[in-house]
């Protein structure tokens, strides 16, 4: 949250906003070709900044429109995973099988993986619930063959930002989409795999409470 807000504030300043003049911030936010949800995030970021420095403003309210998330076909996800580097492919396969948030897997430690019982212990983000997730044989094999280059962590050193990993994924995704001539692959993001997992779980079980628990949510909403 902190990193995201700082990033938004830097963007606003770069595009002409004076953080000590709320009217210029309003103007810059209004001009951006962002969805209303991102504009609200920018307002939240600026409100937090003003709270820190003792300022006040009347933030604009942008009405967000809820949309059904894009759910790719499983064959498309598998096609994308197959075309990525080994580390990226393993990261994506872990997201697909666990339905975890990208940060929960980015900070995964080797001690969280039990290769004998084929389980992964997920340490939650965003005040979610911790959970124990079963691994299939494919994911178990991919993780066991991954080189241990990051000490006690599976995918990253402690100070490595996940945004860098996301940019690497974007480049690999674009290459694979061009090679397969499937532009739908460009709509797949890390969080898309969480939506996919939840959708498939509900399709199989028709039990929304089971899906809630599997994804770590505390509230059915």
């Amino acid at each position: 949250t902190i990193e995201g807000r700082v990033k938004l504030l830097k963007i606003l300043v770069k595009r002409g906003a004076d953080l000590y003049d709320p009217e210029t911030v309003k103007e810059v936010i209004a001009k951006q070709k962002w969805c209303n949800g991102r504009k609200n995030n920018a307002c939240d970021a600026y409100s937090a900044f003003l709270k820190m420095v003792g300022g006040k403003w009347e933030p604009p309210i942008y009405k967000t429109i809820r949309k059904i998330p894009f759910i790719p076909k499983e064959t498309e996800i598998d096609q994308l995973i197959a075309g990525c580097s080994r580390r990226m492919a393993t990261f994506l396969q872990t997201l697909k099988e666990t339905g975890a948030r990208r940060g929960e897997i980015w900070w995964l430690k080797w001690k969280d993986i039990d290769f004998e019982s084929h389980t992964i212990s997920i340490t939650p983000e965003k005040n979610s619930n911790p959970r124990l997730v079963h691994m299939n044989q494919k994911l178990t094999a991919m993780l066991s063959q991954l080189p241990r280059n990051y000490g006690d962590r599976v995918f990253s050193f402690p100070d490595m930002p996940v945004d860098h990993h996301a940019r690497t994924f974007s480049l690999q995704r674009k290459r694979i989409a061009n090679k397969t001539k499937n532009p739908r692959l460009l709509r797949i993001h890390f969080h898309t795999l969480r939506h996919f997992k939840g959708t498939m779980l509900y399709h199989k079980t028709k039990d929304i409470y089971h899906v809630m628990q599997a994804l770590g949510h505390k509230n059915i909403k």
Side-chain angles (χ1 to χ4, degrees), residues 1-200:
T1 299
I2 294 171
E3 290 177 353
R5 286 178 174 176
V6 169
K7 184 177 180 179
L8 277 170
L9 291 174
K10 287 182 177 179
I11 291 173
L12 293 177
V13 170
K14 186 177 180 180
R15 297 182 183 179
D18 178 354
L19 296 186
Y20 293 94
D21 183 352
E23 292 304 315
T24 66
V25 175
K26 285 184 183 181
E27 184 179 350
V28 170
I29 292 175
K31 289 180 178 179
Q32 302 312 306
K33 295 180 180 179
W34 294 340
C35 67
N36 285 353
R38 184 165 174 80
K39 287 184 177 181
N40 280 327
N41 288 341
C43 291
D44 290 342
Y46 185 58
S47 293
F49 171 80
L50 288 179
K51 183 178 180 181
M52 180 183 70
V53 299
K56 293 183 179 180
W57 78 321
E58 290 293 331
I61 299 175
Y62 294 95
K63 186 177 180 180
T64 57
I65 300 173
R66 294 188 65 185
K67 296 180 181 179
I68 296 175
F70 170 66
I71 307 296
K73 300 174 184 177
E74 186 168 17
T75 53
E76 292 174 323
I77 295 175
D78 291 341
Q79 185 180 50
L80 182 61
I81 292 173
C84 286
S85 65
R86 179 165 61 171
R87 175 171 172 249
M88 185 66 70
T90 306
F91 185 78
L92 295 175
Q93 187 70 30
T94 308
L95 291 176
K96 177 191 173 187
E97 295 298 328
T98 63
R101 295 182 177 88
R102 66 176 190 170
E104 293 170 340
I105 301 304
W106 184 243
W107 302 116
L108 193 68
K109 296 182 179 181
W110 287 110
K111 68 178 183 180
D112 299 324
I113 304 173
D114 189 331
F115 287 103
E116 291 187 8
S117 62
H118 300 278
T119 57
I120 298 177
S121 178
I122 303 293
T123 301
E125 275 189 336
K126 297 187 176 181
N127 200 33
S128 295
N129 287 324
R131 53 228 185 256
L132 195 67
V133 182
H134 179 74
M135 297 188 293
N136 61 19
Q137 290 185 345
K138 180 179 180 179
L139 179 56
T140 302
M142 291 176 74
L143 284 168
S144 63
Q145 294 169 12
L146 205 63
R148 303 199 177 196
N149 296 331
Y150 303 104
D152 63 339
R153 296 186 184 272
V154 180
F155 294 105
S156 68
F157 290 121
D159 59 346
M160 289 177 67
V162 71
D163 283 351
H164 174 73
H165 196 56
R167 287 192 292 272
T168 303
F169 169 62
S170 180
L171 293 173
Q172 295 188 29
R173 180 186 59 192
K174 183 177 181 180
R175 173 178 55 78
I176 297 166
N178 290 336
K179 183 177 180 180
T180 60
K181 294 180 172 57
N182 185 359
R184 282 169 53 90
L185 298 185
L186 297 174
R187 300 177 66 187
I188 299 177
H189 302 273
F190 290 150
H191 205 73
T192 305
L193 302 183
R194 182 167 167 85
H195 289 310
F196 173 82
K197 179 67 173 181
T199 302
M200 293 300 104

